[in-house]
Amino acid sequence: MNTQDIETIILTRSELYDRVWSTAMRNLAPDLGISDVGLKKLCKRFSIPTPPVGHWAKKEHGKKTVKPKLPTSERPAHFEIKFHPNTRKLQSHLNLINTSSAVPDKSSEKKIVVPELLSAPLPIVERTKNSLESAKPDDEGLVQPRAKKTLNIIVAPENIDRALRIMDTLLKAIEERGMPFELVHENETWVSATKINDEQICFGISEIVLREEREPTPHEKEEMKRWSWHQKDHFYKKVPTGHLCLAIHSGPSDGQRRRFSDTQRRNVENQLNGFITAMYRTAESIKVDRAQREQRQRELEESERKRHEFERQRVSKLQEIKEEEQRISDLMSNSKSWNTSQTLRCYICAVRGWASEENHSLDQAGLENWLKWATDQADRLDPLKESPTSILDEKSKWNRYY
């Protein structure tokens, strides 16, 4: 199964409007891979009216119902809306991509036991231990290694040994399962990481801190006396709880468990098998999330390609329309000019006939000049004849200042 073959249903605003009013939402929504509530919200976002409560009951009993028209919106009726009904098929497929990285069965796997004493630690654990023991606690009372290429551990000094034993046991269990361990330099800190099915999984252990109210310092008390709006201020400090938390720092926000903390019933030491299982599931989630993001990116690129193609066609068609409108305008203008020129020629003939029959006393030279001038004006208007020169041709030249 190719992830590119995952079905995508594309409906325009107009098509979704027709479907919503021809099929009940509770029946239509599953076919589109969405809940009926989600479908109603989607319709609201795209200004698509939906049937009111009781619509289908009235229709079933033959009563008259009102179907409003699709309103105009900033998104046209041909605007495309995409649905992904087979996303779960993609999830199931990706879970089986590599059988060698299948999630281990916790019930059949040997339980990981953390020893009471740190014995034969890995070199990276020993280096981290030396760095932690020489580190000074921060404002929250926690220490973390300052040396390069050390494990991601942040705990109170009294919990250093316990955190090291947990991490040493976890790293050995990871190696036993053929999972490579590495240190990754991110944001100016070193992060513990492993790889499952070529996916990098970052993890670390830290101590949970709680916020407790504290007494204000003398300076803070002075500020409270000086400024009235500080009088009701509360001051807090963060205090280590002694409870450790083993956390996975990789993966999308998909609701899967990635934090394993001390509880009243179980401490972190008894949850290492579940933690490794969570690491496998996180690797799957990363792969699924990447495939879905790539699919969305392909759809976005395809949508962008269609938009560019539509824009290219739109510009081309608008240019053709503009040219056609100009041709029609020229045609009408030329037709009008030709009619005017014919009218002028008829008038000129009438003048010439009138002059030859009844007005022998007219100045013949002046008449001929006028007839030539009038004929030139008719020719200038006639689009089928070459336009004679005229003083009007120089209008643009003399219409501007020097």
Side-chain angles (χ1 to χ4, degrees), residues 373 377 380 388-398:
W373 172 83
Q377 303 315 306
R380 283 176 61 82
T389 58
S390 170
I391 187 64
L392 295 178
D393 297 334
E394 301 181 22
K395 181 178 179 180
S396 59
K397 175 183 177 180
W398 301 106

Side-chain angles (χ1 to χ4, degrees), residues 10 49-50 80 97 121 155 209 228 265 273 294 297 364 385 400:
I10 302 176
T50 55
E80 293 182 345
I97 287 178
V155 294
V209 295
S228 59
R265 297 179 60 185
N273 289 82
E294 289 174 353
Q297 182 63 28
Q364 291 300 317
K385 286 186 174 291
R400 64 175 185 268

Side-chain angles (χ1 to χ4, degrees), residues 132-189:
L132 283 170
E133 289 177 345
S134 62
K136 294 182 179 180
D138 57 17
D139 294 340
E140 297 178 1
L142 305 178
V143 293
Q144 56 182 314
R146 302 297 180 184
K148 296 181 179 180
K149 295 186 178 180
T150 51
L151 298 175
N152 187 18
I153 298 177
I154 306 174
V155 294
E158 56 270 21
N159 283 315
I160 291 177
D161 179 71
R162 182 187 170 202
L164 289 170
R165 285 187 288 111
I166 293 172
M167 288 295 285
D168 185 62
T169 305
L170 178 61
L171 295 183
K172 290 175 180 177
I174 286 174
E175 288 184 350
E176 287 178 4
R177 288 159 176 76
M179 299 156 56
F181 173 75
E182 59 184 352
L183 289 170
V184 182
H185 196 244
E186 291 184 353
N187 300 325
E188 300 182 355
T189 59

Side-chain angles (χ1 to χ4, degrees), residues 346-363:
C346 290
Y347 175 70
I348 293 169
C349 288
V351 170
R352 181 179 286 111
W354 171 79
S356 63
E357 293 178 1
E358 300 182 6
N359 294 281
H360 302 287
S361 60
L362 289 175
D363 180 8

Side-chain angles (χ1 to χ4, degrees), residues 200-262:
Q200 188 179 81
I201 311 297
C202 299
F203 60 95
I205 190 168
S206 60
E207 185 166 341
I208 300 172
V209 295
L210 290 179
R211 192 179 71 162
E212 290 184 357
E213 194 168 353
R214 63 171 176 81
E215 286 293 323
T217 63
H219 175 71
E220 290 167 343
K221 288 180 179 178
E222 289 295 326
E223 290 293 309
M224 292 172 67
K225 291 179 181 178
R226 183 178 180 185
W227 308 105
S228 59
W229 56 81
H230 281 312
Q231 292 178 2
K232 295 183 179 181
D233 282 358
H234 294 271
F235 300 89
Y236 299 92
K237 62 179 179 180
K238 290 185 177 180
V239 180
T241 61
H243 298 296
L244 300 186
C245 175
L246 191 60
I248 298 172
H249 304 310
S250 305
S253 301
D254 55 1
Q256 291 195 30
R257 184 184 181 190
R258 296 199 175 93
R259 293 174 61 86
F260 293 75
S261 306
D262 289 330

